[in-house]
Amino acid sequence: MPHEQYQTVIKTLHECMEACNHCYDACLKEDDIQMMSDCIRLDRECADICGYFEQALGRGTPFVSVLAGVCAQICEACGNECKKHDHDHCQKCAKACFECAEECRKLAA
Amino acid sequence: MPHEQYQTVIKTLHECMEACNHCYDACLKEDDIQMMSDCIRLDRECADICGYFEQALGRGTPFVSVLAGVCAQICEACGNECKKHDHDHCQKCAKACFECAEECRKLAA
Amino acid sequence: MPHEQYQTVIKTLHECMEACNHCYDACLKEDDIQMMSDCIRLDRECADICGYFEQALGRGTPFVSVLAGVCAQICEACGNECKKHDHDHCQKCAKACFECAEECRKLAA
Amino acid sequence: MPHEQYQTVIKTLHECMEACNHCYDACLKEDDIQMMSDCIRLDRECADICGYFEQALGRGTPFVSVLAGVCAQICEACGNECKKHDHDHCQKCAKACFECAEECRKLAA
């Protein structure tokens, strides 16, 4: 069953989505929000694709590898932006994004 | 922080979404699919609203109680349809839906 | 058929979603982004619920009035925030939000 | 501005999403639903990715070509399934899917 076969990646996608949404929310409350605009934008893109892919895996989508490929790219880009910023939420988000990109690359291969 | 404050409901929404997506996938493979059409339809509605609300909570939406209200109604309806069917995936889904409806009603109050 | 019965509201939801996404994108490029943080946040909430409801209407959701109610509230809130700002994208977005709130209230009644 | 630059593809994605959601809804009401299970499944996948990509384009996503690539593949697969069935909604959906796949391939290139 899909939700068993993909248990690890679903968990990783979920943690990445949560880290991105938390980082997005926290960035919008920062004083230096001007510097965070790319981070806000990428957090949304990344949370949305992770949430999307997690659902698609859970419902047995036939498009696993192609969706994994796009998700890996978006996670990688979001991680690269987040790691530039010292905020704790950005550093945690970068870590979650890179782990998720790694898991997605395995599925895409 | 939203993702801490709402930890229980986020987990419950997530389990409900997974149960609904699994039930949807399994219903589409059943022999008696004709009987399962309402279940398929409601599984999608319920998975989609749970996934939506989970994301909204994670990003600090200001619309918690109104979204919780609509989510509770959709979970309740999906649970009522699922519990009519003997398939293991339907019974498990009904249970997840009712638990989620209960959590959402608390938030909506 | 749902997509015919709800043609007007689907069109209005779609225009509101586009206005919100455009306003979100434009706000993230403004110099006074600090002042726009609530606008960015509400644009995302409003675009997401309008996109969600539009899809739900198109697939014959049984939850029309309850979804219309929550959509009306979110559109109204987003319109109220957008109208505070002089940017052309904010003023246009406010207009689209209020029109959408009006259509949704009719469906919710 | 994104919503102007991508006006044609946004319109095509939107029409494809509507055709898929209508076909999904109509398939669930058909007598020969057993034969339609792949169509129901692919209609959902296709509607969801078109709705997703349309929103992403509207908000200025930096991931246009990679999302266009995955959308093209899913539209193509959905069109190939739909065209097997004589129902008017399936034939119309196949047409919308192939047009959308074509537009997406142009963007992905």
Side-chain angles (χ1 to χ4, degrees), chain B residues 40-94:
Chain B
I40 292 166
R41 188 186 288 276
L42 287 164
D43 281 339
R44 181 184 182 182
E45 296 299 319
C46 193
D48 281 2
I49 199 72
C50 287
Y52 184 93
F53 187 30
E54 186 191 356
Q55 271 234 46
L57 282 173
R59 69 185 179 235
T61 181
F63 305 105
V64 174
S65 75
V66 66
L67 287 168
V70 66
C71 199
Q73 280 194 48
I74 295 176
C75 289
E76 190 74 28
C78 187
N80 283 332
E81 176 59 32
C82 285
K83 78 172 178 187
K84 294 181 198 166
H85 306 286
D86 287 337
H87 302 300
D88 189 48
H89 54 82
C90 292
Q91 291 297 313
K92 280 184 182 159
C93 190

Side-chain angles (χ1 to χ4, degrees), chain C residues 5-68:
Chain C
Q5 185 183 352
Y6 295 122
Q7 220 168 351
T8 307
V9 71
I10 285 175
K11 190 168 173 291
T12 310
L13 286 161
H14 188 68
E15 286 165 359
C16 186
M17 182 187 83
E18 289 209 325
C20 287
N21 277 327
H22 172 48
C23 187
Y24 166 90
D25 183 44
C27 283
L28 282 171
K29 294 170 184 161
E30 291 292 347
D31 291 332
D32 59 342
I33 180 172
Q34 198 80 33
M35 284 180 57
M36 309 313 293
S37 68
D38 283 348
C39 199
I40 292 165
R41 189 185 287 276
L42 286 164
D43 281 339
R44 180 183 182 183
E45 297 298 320
C46 194
D48 282 2
I49 199 72
C50 287
Y52 184 93
F53 187 30
E54 187 191 357
Q55 272 234 45
L57 282 173
R59 68 185 179 234
T61 181
F63 305 105
V64 174
S65 75
V66 66
L67 287 169

Side-chain angles (χ1 to χ4, degrees), chain A residues 1-12, chain B residues 18:
Chain A
M1 278 305 169
H3 69 308
E4 286 155 12
Q5 185 183 353
Y6 296 123
Q7 219 168 350
T8 307
V9 70
I10 285 176
K11 191 169 173 290
T12 310
Chain B
E18 289 210 324

